[in-house]
Tab-separated table of all heavy atoms in Angstrom:
chain	number	residue	atom	x	y	z
A	603	GLY	N	-17.140	36.849	6.689
A	603	GLY	CA	-16.012	36.544	5.807
A	603	GLY	C	-14.854	37.509	6.007
A	603	GLY	O	-13.685	37.100	6.070
A	604	ILE	N	-15.171	38.800	6.134
A	604	ILE	CA	-14.124	39.825	6.303
A	604	ILE	C	-13.412	39.626	7.638
A	604	ILE	O	-12.181	39.678	7.721
A	604	ILE	CB	-14.735	41.245	6.210
A	604	ILE	CG1	-15.173	41.521	4.756
A	604	ILE	CG2	-13.744	42.307	6.677
A	604	ILE	CD1	-16.086	42.708	4.582
A	605	LEU	N	-14.180	39.363	8.679
A	605	LEU	CA	-13.580	39.199	10.013
A	605	LEU	C	-12.757	37.909	10.095
A	605	LEU	O	-11.784	37.841	10.847
A	605	LEU	CB	-14.668	39.233	11.091
A	605	LEU	CG	-15.318	40.614	11.265
A	605	LEU	CD1	-16.553	40.543	12.151
A	605	LEU	CD2	-14.318	41.622	11.833
A	606	LEU	N	-13.128	36.915	9.319
A	606	LEU	CA	-12.318	35.687	9.267
A	606	LEU	C	-11.027	35.948	8.504
A	606	LEU	O	-9.943	35.535	8.923
A	606	LEU	CB	-13.107	34.548	8.603
A	606	LEU	CG	-14.209	33.912	9.451
A	606	LEU	CD1	-15.039	32.933	8.610
A	606	LEU	CD2	-13.619	33.186	10.661
A	607	ASP	N	-11.145	36.671	7.396
A	607	ASP	CA	-9.957	36.979	6.590
A	607	ASP	C	-8.924	37.750	7.408
A	607	ASP	O	-7.719	37.508	7.279
A	607	ASP	CB	-10.371	37.789	5.350
A	607	ASP	CG	-9.166	38.222	4.532
A	607	ASP	OD1	-8.368	37.337	4.156
A	607	ASP	OD2	-8.997	39.434	4.299
A	608	GLN	N	-9.408	38.632	8.277
A	608	GLN	CA	-8.472	39.399	9.127
A	608	GLN	C	-7.683	38.491	10.057
A	608	GLN	O	-6.678	38.901	10.617
A	608	GLN	CB	-9.243	40.453	9.933
A	608	GLN	CG	-9.698	41.621	9.069
A	608	GLN	CD	-10.613	42.584	9.807
A	608	GLN	OE1	-10.895	42.402	10.985
A	608	GLN	NE2	-11.077	43.602	9.098
A	609	GLN	N	-8.147	37.268	10.217
A	609	GLN	CA	-7.437	36.312	11.070
A	609	GLN	C	-6.735	35.225	10.246
A	609	GLN	O	-6.365	34.175	10.767
A	609	GLN	CB	-8.420	35.673	12.053
A	609	GLN	CG	-9.123	36.707	12.946
A	609	GLN	CD	-10.146	36.061	13.870
A	609	GLN	OE1	-9.790	35.388	14.820
A	609	GLN	NE2	-11.415	36.225	13.545
A	610	GLY	N	-6.600	35.492	8.939
A	610	GLY	CA	-5.854	34.562	8.089
A	610	GLY	C	-6.664	33.378	7.583
A	610	GLY	O	-6.101	32.423	7.043
A	611	ILE	N	-8.000	33.448	7.764
A	611	ILE	CA	-8.850	32.319	7.353
A	611	ILE	C	-9.485	32.631	6.003
A	611	ILE	O	-10.163	33.651	5.853
A	611	ILE	CB	-9.991	32.080	8.371
A	611	ILE	CG1	-9.485	32.109	9.813
A	611	ILE	CG2	-10.766	30.814	8.010
A	611	ILE	CD1	-8.710	30.918	10.258
A	612	ALA	N	-9.288	31.762	5.027
A	612	ALA	CA	-9.867	31.953	3.696
A	612	ALA	C	-11.091	31.061	3.533
A	612	ALA	O	-10.970	29.838	3.453
A	612	ALA	CB	-8.827	31.619	2.627
A	613	VAL	N	-12.273	31.676	3.546
A	613	VAL	CA	-13.500	30.944	3.198
A	613	VAL	C	-14.203	31.758	2.125
A	613	VAL	O	-13.790	32.874	1.809
A	613	VAL	CB	-14.450	30.761	4.405
A	613	VAL	CG1	-13.795	29.930	5.495
A	613	VAL	CG2	-14.934	32.093	4.942
A	614	ARG	N	-15.271	31.213	1.573
A	614	ARG	CA	-16.005	31.981	0.570
A	614	ARG	C	-17.376	32.346	1.108
A	614	ARG	O	-18.029	31.534	1.752
A	614	ARG	CB	-16.157	31.166	-0.708
A	614	ARG	CG	-16.912	31.927	-1.779
A	614	ARG	CD	-16.560	31.461	-3.158
A	614	ARG	NE	-17.425	32.134	-4.130
A	614	ARG	CZ	-17.650	31.682	-5.342
A	614	ARG	NH1	-17.074	30.569	-5.753
A	614	ARG	NH2	-18.434	32.346	-6.163
A	615	CYS	N	-17.804	33.568	0.815
A	615	CYS	CA	-19.112	34.027	1.287
A	615	CYS	C	-19.876	34.615	0.120
A	615	CYS	O	-19.330	35.382	-0.651
A	615	CYS	CB	-18.939	35.088	2.361
A	615	CYS	SG	-18.026	34.454	3.779
A	616	GLY	N	-21.140	34.241	-0.017
A	616	GLY	CA	-21.947	34.784	-1.102
A	616	GLY	C	-23.016	33.798	-1.504
A	616	GLY	O	-23.447	32.968	-0.697
A	617	HIS	N	-23.399	33.866	-2.787
A	617	HIS	CA	-24.463	32.951	-3.251
A	617	HIS	C	-23.881	31.701	-3.909
A	617	HIS	O	-24.610	30.801	-4.299
A	617	HIS	CB	-25.444	33.666	-4.178
A	617	HIS	CG	-24.770	34.360	-5.343
A	617	HIS	ND1	-24.057	33.689	-6.306
A	617	HIS	CD2	-24.706	35.670	-5.669
A	617	HIS	CE1	-23.588	34.547	-7.183
A	617	HIS	NE2	-23.947	35.761	-6.816
A	618	HIS	N	-22.553	31.655	-4.035
A	618	HIS	CA	-21.848	30.468	-4.531
A	618	HIS	C	-22.324	30.040	-5.924
A	618	HIS	O	-22.375	28.847	-6.235
A	618	HIS	CB	-21.959	29.312	-3.532
A	618	HIS	CG	-21.574	29.732	-2.155
A	618	HIS	ND1	-20.285	30.073	-1.822
A	618	HIS	CD2	-22.322	29.945	-1.044
A	618	HIS	CE1	-20.251	30.459	-0.557
A	618	HIS	NE2	-21.466	30.405	-0.064
A	619	CYS	N	-22.678	31.034	-6.747
A	619	CYS	CA	-23.158	30.753	-8.113
A	619	CYS	C	-24.287	29.726	-8.083
A	619	CYS	O	-24.366	28.862	-8.957
A	619	CYS	CB	-22.021	30.273	-9.010
A	619	CYS	SG	-20.707	31.466	-9.202
A	620	ALA	N	-25.116	29.795	-7.055
A	620	ALA	CA	-26.263	28.887	-6.955
A	620	ALA	C	-27.455	29.689	-6.442
A	620	ALA	O	-28.042	29.377	-5.403
A	620	ALA	CB	-25.940	27.721	-6.030
A	621	MET	N	-27.817	30.758	-7.164
A	621	MET	CA	-28.891	31.636	-6.693
A	621	MET	C	-30.231	30.916	-6.581
A	621	MET	O	-30.968	31.148	-5.627
A	621	MET	CB	-28.969	32.897	-7.567
A	621	MET	CG	-27.816	33.848	-7.249
A	621	MET	SD	-27.671	35.247	-8.347
A	621	MET	CE	-28.750	36.405	-7.555
A	622	PRO	N	-30.586	30.004	-7.508
A	622	PRO	CA	-31.856	29.290	-7.306
A	622	PRO	C	-31.881	28.493	-5.998
A	622	PRO	O	-32.916	28.448	-5.324
A	622	PRO	CB	-31.946	28.367	-8.533
A	622	PRO	CG	-31.183	29.103	-9.591
A	622	PRO	CD	-30.042	29.758	-8.851
A	623	LEU	N	-30.755	27.904	-5.633
A	623	LEU	CA	-30.697	27.165	-4.364
A	623	LEU	C	-30.848	28.131	-3.186
A	623	LEU	O	-31.562	27.845	-2.224
A	623	LEU	CB	-29.374	26.390	-4.254
A	623	LEU	CG	-29.146	25.685	-2.916
A	623	LEU	CD1	-30.173	24.576	-2.692
A	623	LEU	CD2	-27.732	25.108	-2.835
A	624	MET	N	-30.199	29.291	-3.270
A	624	MET	CA	-30.313	30.292	-2.201
A	624	MET	C	-31.767	30.769	-2.086
A	624	MET	O	-32.278	30.962	-0.989
A	624	MET	CB	-29.379	31.480	-2.456
A	624	MET	CG	-27.889	31.134	-2.410
A	624	MET	SD	-27.329	30.512	-0.803
A	624	MET	CE	-26.323	29.126	-1.299
A	625	GLN	N	-32.433	30.940	-3.250
A	625	GLN	CA	-33.844	31.331	-3.216
A	625	GLN	C	-34.665	30.238	-2.536
A	625	GLN	O	-35.550	30.520	-1.726
A	625	GLN	CB	-34.353	31.591	-4.648
A	625	GLN	CG	-33.836	32.907	-5.232
A	625	GLN	CD	-33.681	32.872	-6.761
A	625	GLN	OE1	-34.234	31.992	-7.436
A	625	GLN	NE2	-32.932	33.811	-7.308
A	626	HIS	N	-34.365	28.993	-2.861
A	626	HIS	CA	-35.054	27.861	-2.241
A	626	HIS	C	-34.864	27.885	-0.723
A	626	HIS	O	-35.779	27.568	0.041
A	626	HIS	CB	-34.508	26.554	-2.840
A	626	HIS	CG	-35.061	25.311	-2.234
A	626	HIS	ND1	-36.261	24.754	-2.641
A	626	HIS	CD2	-34.601	24.525	-1.237
A	626	HIS	CE1	-36.493	23.661	-1.912
A	626	HIS	NE2	-35.509	23.503	-1.064
A	627	LEU	N	-33.676	28.285	-0.276
A	627	LEU	CA	-33.366	28.331	1.160
A	627	LEU	C	-33.794	29.653	1.792
A	627	LEU	O	-33.648	29.842	3.005
A	627	LEU	CB	-31.851	28.168	1.371
A	627	LEU	CG	-31.262	26.792	1.081
A	627	LEU	CD1	-29.741	26.845	1.016
A	627	LEU	CD2	-31.698	25.815	2.166
A	628	ASN	N	-34.305	30.545	0.934
A	628	ASN	CA	-34.686	31.881	1.392
A	628	ASN	C	-33.494	32.622	2.024
A	628	ASN	O	-33.626	33.254	3.064
A	628	ASN	CB	-35.856	31.779	2.379
A	628	ASN	CG	-36.674	33.051	2.390
A	628	ASN	OD1	-36.502	33.915	1.508
A	628	ASN	ND2	-37.538	33.196	3.371
A	629	LEU	N	-32.359	32.515	1.390
A	629	LEU	CA	-31.132	33.149	1.879
A	629	LEU	C	-30.587	34.088	0.816
A	629	LEU	O	-30.712	33.814	-0.377
A	629	LEU	CB	-30.049	32.093	2.120
A	629	LEU	CG	-30.182	31.115	3.279
A	629	LEU	CD1	-29.013	30.139	3.247
A	629	LEU	CD2	-30.239	31.857	4.603
A	630	LYS	N	-29.922	35.163	1.268
A	630	LYS	CA	-29.192	36.005	0.319
A	630	LYS	C	-27.840	35.361	-0.004
A	630	LYS	O	-27.287	35.539	-1.068
A	630	LYS	CB	-28.965	37.389	0.910
A	630	LYS	CG	-30.234	38.207	0.983
A	630	LYS	CD	-29.964	39.691	0.719
A	630	LYS	CE	-31.234	40.440	0.389
A	630	LYS	NZ	-32.260	40.287	1.470
A	631	GLY	N	-27.350	34.634	0.968
A	631	GLY	CA	-26.063	33.969	0.789
A	631	GLY	C	-25.660	33.274	2.069
A	631	GLY	O	-26.420	33.254	3.044
A	632	CYS	N	-24.467	32.717	2.054
A	632	CYS	CA	-23.965	32.045	3.257
A	632	CYS	C	-22.445	31.951	3.154
A	632	CYS	O	-21.855	32.329	2.142
A	632	CYS	CB	-24.599	30.664	3.412
A	632	CYS	SG	-24.257	29.525	2.079
A	633	CYS	N	-21.833	31.481	4.224
A	633	CYS	CA	-20.400	31.237	4.208
A	633	CYS	C	-20.178	29.768	3.862
A	633	CYS	O	-20.996	28.913	4.201
A	633	CYS	CB	-19.776	31.517	5.564
A	633	CYS	SG	-20.025	33.202	6.122
A	634	ARG	N	-19.060	29.504	3.208
A	634	ARG	CA	-18.744	28.125	2.850
A	634	ARG	C	-17.286	27.854	3.198
A	634	ARG	O	-16.395	28.546	2.697
A	634	ARG	CB	-18.967	27.911	1.355
A	634	ARG	CG	-18.607	26.500	0.886
A	634	ARG	CD	-18.719	26.377	-0.623
A	634	ARG	NE	-17.632	27.076	-1.298
A	634	ARG	CZ	-17.502	27.164	-2.619
A	634	ARG	NH1	-18.404	26.620	-3.411
A	634	ARG	NH2	-16.478	27.800	-3.156
A	635	ALA	N	-17.071	26.855	4.027
A	635	ALA	CA	-15.704	26.388	4.290
A	635	ALA	C	-15.552	25.088	3.522
A	635	ALA	O	-16.425	24.225	3.576
A	635	ALA	CB	-15.491	26.157	5.778
A	636	SER	N	-14.461	24.962	2.771
A	636	SER	CA	-14.299	23.742	1.977
A	636	SER	C	-12.871	23.235	2.118
A	636	SER	O	-11.938	24.012	2.324
A	636	SER	CB	-14.653	24.006	0.508
A	636	SER	OG	-13.857	25.045	-0.021
A	637	ILE	N	-12.734	21.936	2.025
A	637	ILE	CA	-11.432	21.330	2.320
A	637	ILE	C	-10.845	20.592	1.116
A	637	ILE	O	-11.566	20.135	0.227
A	637	ILE	CB	-11.522	20.356	3.513
A	637	ILE	CG1	-12.539	19.253	3.233
A	637	ILE	CG2	-11.865	21.083	4.802
A	637	ILE	CD1	-12.471	18.125	4.239
A	638	GLY	N	-9.541	20.498	1.144
A	638	GLY	CA	-8.796	19.697	0.179
A	638	GLY	C	-7.966	18.684	0.930
A	638	GLY	O	-7.937	18.685	2.169
A	639	LEU	N	-7.255	17.867	0.183
A	639	LEU	CA	-6.521	16.785	0.842
A	639	LEU	C	-5.382	17.296	1.723
A	639	LEU	O	-4.876	16.584	2.587
A	639	LEU	CB	-6.014	15.763	-0.190
A	639	LEU	CG	-5.100	16.224	-1.333
A	639	LEU	CD1	-3.657	16.322	-0.879
A	639	LEU	CD2	-5.191	15.239	-2.483
A	640	TYR	N	-4.959	18.575	1.499
A	640	TYR	CA	-3.851	19.124	2.278
A	640	TYR	C	-4.281	19.678	3.628
A	640	TYR	O	-3.446	19.976	4.469
A	640	TYR	CB	-3.129	20.229	1.496
A	640	TYR	CG	-4.038	21.073	0.626
A	640	TYR	CD1	-5.025	21.880	1.185
A	640	TYR	CD2	-3.941	21.022	-0.763
A	640	TYR	CE1	-5.865	22.641	0.385
A	640	TYR	CE2	-4.775	21.769	-1.566
A	640	TYR	CZ	-5.742	22.580	-0.983
A	640	TYR	OH	-6.574	23.314	-1.777
A	641	ASN	N	-5.576	19.888	3.838
A	641	ASN	CA	-6.000	20.456	5.121
A	641	ASN	C	-5.781	19.459	6.257
A	641	ASN	O	-5.752	18.248	6.032
A	641	ASN	CB	-7.483	20.877	5.065
A	641	ASN	CG	-7.680	22.118	4.215
A	641	ASN	OD1	-8.309	22.056	3.161
A	641	ASN	ND2	-7.133	23.224	4.659
Side-chain angles (χ1 to χ4, degrees):
I604 290 165
L605 291 170
L606 285 172
D607 176 55
Q608 286 173 1
Q609 301 177 72
I611 314 286
V613 297
R614 180 154 174 201
C615 300
H617 54 63
H618 309 292
C619 299
M621 286 172 88
L623 175 65
M624 295 298 135
Q625 286 150 17
H626 176 84
L627 290 167
N628 206 12
L629 289 177
K630 288 215 163 56
C632 62
C633 301
R634 178 185 73 182
S636 57
I637 58 169
L639 58 82
Y640 35 65
N641 288 114

